[in-house]
Amino acid sequence: MTAVGVAGQSAEQDFSSRLLESSQTLSYDPMTEIDWDGPLPEDQYGLSPEWSTLYGTPLWDELTEQQRITLTRHEVCSMMSTGIWFEMILQQMILRDQYVKNPANSEFQFALTEIADECRHSIMFARICQKLEVPAYLPSKLVVELARGFKTLATGEVAYGGTLVAEEVLDVVQRDFMRDDRVLDVVQTSSKIHVVEESRHMKFAREEIKEHIKGKSKIQRHFSAALIAVVAYVIVSSLVSPKVYDSIGMNRKRAMDAVANNEHRKSLMRNGCAGLMEFLDEAGLLTRPAIALYKRVHMI
């Protein structure tokens, strides 16, 4: 192996080692960190109201305070259900990527650590939805079936790119939830846990993307960019199920029309995803077709 190869491998291992050390010193157990037996104050939101899909629209002004609270609780559980769905996908992709690799490498060990984190996060989200007595809001059947193919076939920068966009989008919203005293304590605490631990996962995904994209041809890079953008489009579109509006007795079509024209929410998404778009651009994964898809879900 050349000196450059050894140096590159060493740098990659050092990076993974630092992530491992971080996971050992700054990790949380949701079962003990969250007050699962605590009350759910009737006047607290499920998420920061500014992140509600209807906030900033005339429909929001029509809702009673209790309807707003109920809606946000269903919205946050919809996000958590979507999070569980995609965390299960990324666990399978990471396992496949690390299959029969050297277990002595810190990269391998951190990958398994990430899977363990994601398992805890999924259980945490599931218990919160159970506590709030909100039904599971799952993606459409078409999306679920298409995802079966994606999780089976996606590799390299596409797998880690899909992982990154999912984690970044949740990170954007949860950074507001964790600091907002208007939000239920279980959501604040779970958001803090997820933000802290997912920050390592996002760093890992970014490094993996940079490693896998090296040496790829223009055609391969454009293909990967398009696939990652498709994943982002599906995830963002699936975050809040149209069924949540049934919880407050609202006409679903009228609510969806309001969401489609909600400039406030579009602005929040664009601002929150600026860092992600900058990274994808630097990695050569922000092509014209990809940009068109990101624009459709207001990530750019």
Side-chain angles (χ1 to χ4, degrees):
M1 183 179 290
T2 66
V4 173
V6 172
Q9 186 182 56
S10 176
E12 186 177 348
Q13 289 302 309
D14 286 346
F15 176 78
S16 297
S17 294
R18 290 194 298 273
L19 292 180
L20 265 177
E21 290 173 7
S22 174
S23 68
Q24 292 163 5
T25 58
L26 193 58
S27 289
Y28 300 94
D29 180 357
M31 297 304 106
T32 57
E33 293 288 337
I34 295 175
D35 181 7
W36 294 106
D37 297 321
L40 297 172
E42 293 182 1
D43 61 344
Q44 289 191 316
Y45 294 93
L47 47 73
S48 299
E50 293 79 9
W51 274 105
S52 173
T53 53
L54 293 181
Y55 185 91
T57 70
L59 277 185
W60 178 264
D61 297 331
E62 293 178 18
L63 301 179
T64 66
E65 184 64 9
Q66 193 53 55
Q67 283 179 312
R68 293 172 180 176
I69 289 169
T70 300
L71 174 62
T72 59
R73 293 187 182 193
H74 281 254
E75 286 175 322
V76 78
C77 287
S78 179
M79 291 180 182
M80 289 181 178
S81 294
T82 301
I84 293 170
W85 165 70
F86 200 80
E87 282 177 347
M88 294 180 73
I89 290 174
L90 74 88
Q91 287 174 60
Q92 293 176 68
M93 294 191 297
I94 293 173
L95 272 175
R96 192 174 67 250
D97 186 56
Q98 296 299 322
Y99 183 61
V100 298
K101 288 190 176 179
N102 184 358
N105 286 347
S106 55
E107 178 191 352
F108 175 88
Q109 293 174 26
F110 181 75
L112 294 190
T113 300
E114 178 171 346
I115 291 171
D117 288 344
E118 299 296 5
C119 283
R120 290 200 311 277
H121 296 165
S122 292
I123 295 170
M124 174 177 71
F125 290 157
R127 286 197 62 177
I128 290 173
C129 294
Q130 181 182 25
K131 184 175 176 64
L132 268 60
E133 298 182 342
V134 172
Y137 290 111
L138 301 175
S140 68
K141 289 184 179 180
L142 175 61
V143 168
V144 169
E145 294 307 316
L146 289 174
R148 292 185 193 279
F150 175 75
K151 68 183 178 62
T152 302
L153 301 173
T155 58
E157 68 277 4
V158 173
Y160 284 102
T163 297
L164 181 65
V165 295
E167 291 171 340
E168 289 266 6
V169 168
L170 282 177
D171 183 75
V172 165
V173 297
Q174 288 180 325
R175 284 184 181 275
D176 284 344
F177 302 170
M178 63 187 263
R179 304 186 186 99
D180 194 339
D181 290 335
R182 297 171 298 172
V183 171
L184 291 165
D185 182 68
V186 290
V187 176
Q188 284 190 64
T189 307
S190 65
S191 296
K192 174 187 173 184
I193 292 171
H194 203 247
V195 164
V196 170
E197 296 185 350
E198 290 292 337
S199 66
R200 293 190 290 267
H201 302 176
M202 290 188 289
K203 290 175 184 175
F204 184 63
R206 288 184 181 222
E207 286 302 309
E208 290 293 326
I209 291 169
K210 288 190 283 188
E211 285 299 314
H212 283 289
I213 204 68
K214 287 179 181 176
K216 293 292 177 72
S217 68
K218 183 177 180 180
I219 292 176
Q220 289 173 314
R221 182 168 49 79
H222 277 244
F223 182 69
S224 295
L227 282 180
I228 294 169
V230 168
V231 172
Y233 178 87
V234 169
I235 291 170
V236 173
S237 300
S238 303
L239 269 184
V240 178
S241 169
K243 295 178 183 179
V244 301
Y245 307 110
D246 300 341
S247 68
I248 55 173
M250 180 171 287
N251 179 279
R252 198 185 296 184
K253 183 180 184 305
R254 187 177 178 222
M256 293 302 295
D257 288 343
V259 172
N261 294 297
N262 190 343
E263 296 302 324
H264 168 78
R265 184 173 171 82
K266 294 175 185 179
S267 177
L268 283 182
M269 282 296 295
R270 283 193 294 268
N271 291 336
C273 293
L276 171 62
M277 293 300 116
E278 182 179 349
F279 169 77
L280 293 175
D281 190 26
E282 291 173 355
L285 294 169
L286 203 57
T287 58
R288 285 187 179 181
I291 289 173
L293 280 172
Y294 290 127
K295 283 184 175 180
R296 290 192 65 180
V297 284
H298 318 294
M299 294 176 72
I300 192 171

